[in-house]
Amino acid sequence: MSAPAAAVPQIIGLPQPFGVLLIGIFVSLVLMGIIVSQTWNYYNNYPEDSKWLKLYVSSVFLVDFMSSFFLLWWMYDLLINDWGNIIPYTQLHWALATDPILEGLIGPMVQAYYAWRIHVISGTYWVSGIIMCCSLMALGGGIAGTHAAATLVTFEALAGAKVTVIFWLLPAAISDLIIALALTYYLRKHKGRFQASDKVLDKIIRMTVQNGLLTAVTAVVDVIMYFTVTTPYHIVFTFILPKLYANTVLSSLNSRSAIRKELSNGKTDPQLYSSGGAPGFRTQASQGVVVTVETHEMQEAVKGKLDWESQRSADTKV
């Protein structure tokens, strides 16, 4: 008669979020695959972009890649190197502690890009300034979050980092909401001139609202889960949020081809194209705001110091 199987020991008081965390890592890796595709499409389709804009895209990709790299490092140590050892399941790994600062970096990078867009179409600095203040606050919260994760040691101790979590995630959510509302407001002000550009503006507005709400809601849900659920399931959202930010800015940059194609298919006189007052800066007089904003050729806009009010006046004369 065979011996009875040994009973599986019961772990009392150990949080059990690891199945959910593993699923969250899988989702983040799927999003990382989309980011790789988006980055490839960008460099393949827009070789004429400025070197600094290409460097910006590379930086966003690198930060996001490092986020995935450290997550996999943590999971490999947990499931392979520490197999059979229960202690690492109760402690915060150093690789996991890098997540707040990397998320704190990529958020402000993407928000700075949208803050520039708002400045271009509004001609003012105050809205962009508020966005950047919130972004820098989130960056500081991310640095503090990494410090907390490195010093608190255990998952249970994370419950004592409430102030850090608030300053890390809520300013980022506020910044995303301001971006969505500001871009919607300023883009809608340019509607009503031409049917072709109005359709494109509607699409840009929808995409802006969807992207802004997606990242903001994710950050808010993360905070709510942190305060209401004792088991650290909230960490899952910190795995996904950097991917959402990166996909937001890359999809915006890659949407230019579709926007240009749709505008070129409209009933527009091709003679209306002009340099827009700066070398290499392409605008279209009849759809100035759409092409000016969505071509994202930032260096020419800054170098030429375009008079946007004069450009809008020229648009109305055509």
Side-chain angles (χ1 to χ4, degrees):
M1 185 174 180
S2 59
V8 178
Q10 297 294 317
I11 307 300
I12 306 300
L14 177 66
Q16 300 292 332
F18 298 100
V20 175
L21 295 183
L22 185 61
I23 293 173
I25 291 176
F26 289 160
V27 173
S28 72
L29 291 177
V30 171
L31 294 174
M32 184 64 206
I34 298 174
I35 291 169
V36 171
S37 177
Q38 294 266 31
T39 305
W40 170 264
N41 289 337
Y42 169 77
Y43 283 106
N44 190 49
N45 295 330
Y46 302 99
E48 75 282 0
D49 277 355
S50 64
K51 291 182 180 179
W52 85 264
L53 185 54
K54 293 178 181 177
L55 180 62
Y56 170 79
V57 172
S58 298
S59 301
V60 170
F61 176 81
L62 178 62
V63 173
D64 201 75
F65 173 80
M66 294 304 295
S67 174
S68 296
F69 176 80
F70 285 122
L71 286 180
L72 289 176
W73 190 320
W74 169 58
M75 192 55 61
Y76 185 88
D77 269 358
L78 192 67
L79 300 180
I80 306 301
N81 293 336
D82 293 320
W83 176 256
N85 183 8
I86 202 64
I87 294 177
Y89 286 83
T90 65
Q91 297 178 341
L92 292 167
H93 194 277
W94 68 266
L96 187 61
T98 63
D99 187 63
I101 192 171
L102 291 174
E103 182 184 326
L105 277 173
I106 198 168
M109 290 172 67
V110 173
Q111 289 159 354
Y113 163 80
Y114 283 105
W116 173 87
R117 291 176 63 183
I118 291 171
H119 164 65
V120 167
I121 63 174
S122 68
T124 62
Y125 288 96
W126 68 272
V127 178
S128 300
I130 294 174
I131 292 169
M132 291 312 301
C133 285
C134 293
S135 299
L136 293 175
M137 190 180 299
L139 174 59
I143 296 172
T146 290
H147 178 266
T151 56
L152 293 176
V153 181
T154 66
F155 283 100
E156 290 182 356
L158 281 178
K162 292 181 173 62
V163 175
T164 299
V165 170
I166 290 173
F167 277 93
W168 169 26
L169 295 173
L170 283 187
I174 293 171
S175 181
D176 294 335
L177 288 175
I178 294 174
I179 289 170
L181 293 174
L183 280 175
T184 299
Y185 172 76
Y186 287 117
L187 288 174
R188 286 182 66 87
K189 288 179 65 176
H190 291 275
K191 290 184 62 177
R193 295 179 185 175
F194 298 91
Q195 185 177 6
S197 60
D198 283 354
K199 291 181 179 179
V200 174
L201 281 171
D202 286 335
K203 291 183 178 180
I204 297 171
I205 290 170
R206 284 196 299 271
M207 184 173 65
T208 299
V209 172
Q210 290 169 358
N211 289 337
L213 288 179
L214 182 60
T215 52
V217 168
T218 302
V220 171
V221 170
D222 191 356
V223 174
I224 293 173
M225 291 284 289
Y226 172 80
F227 279 97
T228 59
V229 182
T230 56
T231 305
Y233 295 121
H234 62 89
I235 299 176
V236 170
F237 297 98
T238 67
F239 298 163
I240 298 173
L241 197 53
K243 314 304 185 215
L244 297 180
Y245 276 122
N247 270 303
T248 293
V249 70
L250 290 172
S251 64
S252 178
L253 287 168
N254 285 328
S255 67
R256 290 176 290 171
S257 294
I259 290 172
R260 291 170 180 170
K261 183 177 180 180
E262 186 164 346
L263 288 173
S264 65
N265 290 336
K267 296 180 180 180
T268 307
D269 187 351
Q271 295 181 354
L272 294 178
Y273 282 89
S274 63
S275 64
F281 189 80
R282 292 169 294 179
T283 60
Q284 186 172 340
S286 62
Q287 297 113 353
V289 65
V290 178
V291 181
T292 297
V293 175
E294 290 305 311
T295 53
H296 310 282
E297 290 155 332
M298 304 177 188
Q299 83 287 5
E300 288 87 354
V302 175
K303 187 188 302 179
K305 296 181 179 179
L306 295 179
D307 184 351
W308 298 102
E309 293 300 327
S310 298
Q311 180 67 28
R312 293 174 187 139
S313 298
D315 288 350
T316 58
K317 294 178 182 178
V318 177

